Amino acid sequence: MNAEVEFHIRNNYPWAKLPGNIRQLLGNSQKEYDKCVTNYSIKNQLRYRQNLVKHVRKEERRYYEDLLKYSMEHLMLFPYHLADIIVKGLRVTPFSYYQKMMHNIMSSEKSYDSLPNFTAADCLRLLGIGRNQYIDIMNQCRSSKKFFRRKPIRDLLPPRPVNGIHLEPWWIAQAGYITEDDIRTVSITEKNAIDKIIDVGPQLAGVMDFYILHKLFLKGLAYLDVPIEDDDRIIVPPLEGFVMNRVQGDYFETLLYKIFVSIDEHTTVAELANVLQIDLDLVKNAVSMYCRLGFAKRKEINLELDELHTSWQEAPQFSSKSSQPDKIEHQLITWDFPDSDDIISVPLEGDLLDGTSLEDAESTSAVHAKRIAFLFDSTLTAFLMMGNLSPGLKSHAVTMFEVGKLSDESLDSFLGELEKVHIDDVAEGEAQRYFEHAITLKNTISFLRYNKLISPCGDQYLNGLGLDLLRCESLLGLDPATCARVLQKNYEILISMAPLSNEIRPVSSCVPQHIGPAIPEVTSVWFKLYLYHMVKSGPPSLLVVKGTRLRKLPEMFQEYDRLLITTWGHDPGLVATSNALLTINDALSHSAVLIQAHGWLHDGRTKSIPFPLNEDELKEPFSEDQMQSHPTISELASLVDLQHYCGVITLLRTGCRTLEAVSSSPSHTNQTAGESNIEIAPSLIDVGSMSAIKDGGLSLLDLPLTLPENSQLASEWTLLDLSFGIPLFNDALNKDVCRRMAAQSLCGRPNLEELLNSSRRMTLELLKFISEYQDLPVAPEADLNVGPGSNLMNQKPLLPYPTRNLVFIDGRLQEWPTKGP
């Protein structure tokens, strides 16, 4: 359906008031418009009497039956906001709805992963069917089919909701669809409770007998509303019971994820709706769903203990809470009370400068202030989930991925779990990366959080700022204007991890300022080529456009044994030259590819140089211990602001240029094969690869007698990459960057002003460079015909796609002939 048509349906425009251009889109057919109204209303689970559909569909009951059928077929959440109609009018309870849905997908023999995330979570809450239970039921059904008469799936499904269903005292009890036959089966106390709800009206769950209400709910004679008010504030603790299956993309699921990353306990529901510019009732429905599923809690519940029915104090779920209080929940509740002695303090790294604990920041936290946002991507959450690093770490990692945010209030418990991770637990292998990232993340949080040296306004925030962790992909789920409002409302400064994955578009922001990639192009292949071109340093590189086919590997890569292959919009990977051609041609069928020389005989050697740098470091004489003084770094410093940014420069030593220098050096022509006092420098050659050298036509006896001078050594190192942000892949590098940030007051106002100016200059130069080396517009013009309801307004522009084959070699970037190999 056209987005502009949806906009007018959503705002209840009748056919008579539709603009002429919208009528033309519909072929000037009112029937077509009525059809669109019905489809949109059912798809978005709209209430019949308050929307345009009541003028199109005359049978209200039939409309709700069609709505339920569509929702069930598309595995959507039960429409709790329509429960007064669905439960009371159609006698379809959430339990019976999910029971039938589960029956349908099992009958079709679909996998458990076909259930969307939130739907699967609600099924688990009501039916008690998770992944293992689903597989077990399917196995029982299949085994009975083989040996006996097939057992009906319905007989294997639970006949009633799980006994341990969670209820809250502030929820509202409503009477369901009750018949005379139902009344005959209930006890006197249950009948009295039903009569009270019917005669007096909906009852606060906390004033009713917990056990009676629980029984009525299990029998389907009562249901519960989760009321959300305009001024409610919501807490999102680490997720428990969340099911990670798949994202479906229906309207309500999209809304749930948008609110997840935007919500915080200092913003009321009404304020959140205003920031997101979403209808307040929709936001309330979403927040109500969070609370119902147990993924969020109301911060303030105006209920005293003596107001509750005594049975609530004896209820198992509440008595267990009082005997074994949830540390995370306790933390969150006591956050706003500076006199509490129960806030958990995690010791911070002493060598990470002046980070202070929560107790030292009580005066700041008593009044809500803006925070620092540390931006990460899904790679980090994958490392935290896959490494089995700590038993309690997974729930935090799931929260970081699914919610897209881990707020400052949850960081004490998160740091407590990270403290349990030790790098000594693993010796080697891929798992070491997981441990390394967990440790550096802990150090980074400890450094940024409540550190007065990282506060942009030292006088205003004497104890520094709180810290939220935000996932870039979740922020990008918001449209650009909404994302900007959310960031501007809550954060003083944004800091990215480094490197961010090439598969995402980094967040671009001037207010608040961003210490990280200024624009998405900075994390792309274009930025690499721009740096190589300007600095005249880099490995032999070839950018090949999509659709090209190579008959053989280009000559400049023949002498290398390892190539770095980057497909467009993905992270690079090392490939052996011997089978690189097949890999490259396969990738070229669907993407542009950057091919780079990396290593001779083995993988190339890389060196990471942290910045910010100061002028004194750039003036020191170059050596392998003083890589900051490398001529390429000095040249780079004149192009990119390395004093007001933080990040990592990566230099590469392929090993191939060493032998090129050797073969062309004067000493090579003067050596004779009869000399026996040859001293071979280990840094020049891998002794295990001597035969390969002979095969290449260069004898070991031809090597020079002396080590290369510093100037020769400098020529062996070339620029490979530059990443902005705080590195998480190396502990020592991470601490070095953090130390430099504090020493140079990187987050101070004067530095941020310089940073803003330099990032603008770099952005303009980069975009100019891209426009010179490709034929499509770098910044597409806005479509003036796009209406306010159009999804086109929310689309993020794609990176400029290469249209020419470009080659960088011997310090020059030029167009590669299309008739190449």
Side-chain angles (χ1 to χ4, degrees), residues 664-677:
S664 60
S665 65
S667 58
H668 170 256
T669 58
N670 297 328
Q671 294 294 331
T672 64
E675 294 177 339
S676 59
N677 57 344

Side-chain angles (χ1 to χ4, degrees), residues 609-613 641-642 645-649 722-724 737 740:
I609 296 96
F611 63 91
L613 299 173
D641 188 349
L642 299 181
Y645 262 119
C646 72
V648 178
I649 303 164
L722 185 149
S723 301
F724 295 106
V737 169
R740 291 168 181 271

Side-chain angles (χ1 to χ4, degrees), residues 65 149 202 267 274 279 293 307 344 528 596 611 654 671 693 732 743 765 777 818:
E65 288 174 348
R149 188 176 173 186
T267 303
N274 184 50
D279 182 74
L293 296 175
E307 295 179 21
I344 300 171
K528 270 188 174 184
Q596 295 182 282
F611 63 91
T654 64
Q671 294 294 331
I693 298 174
E765 290 294 328
T818 54

Side-chain angles (χ1 to χ4, degrees), residues 176 310 508 515 670 707:
T310 54
S508 300
I515 300 180
N670 297 328
L707 288 170

Side-chain angles (χ1 to χ4, degrees), residues 601-619:
L601 300 179
H602 46 70
D603 294 352
R605 182 181 165 198
T606 58
K607 192 87 170 180
S608 298
I609 296 96
F611 63 91
L613 299 173
N614 56 50
E615 293 183 1
D616 294 336
E617 288 180 296
L618 297 173
K619 294 177 182 178

Side-chain angles (χ1 to χ4, degrees), residues 16 153 359 537 717 738:
I153 293 175
E359 286 85 349
S537 173
W717 291 94
C738 291

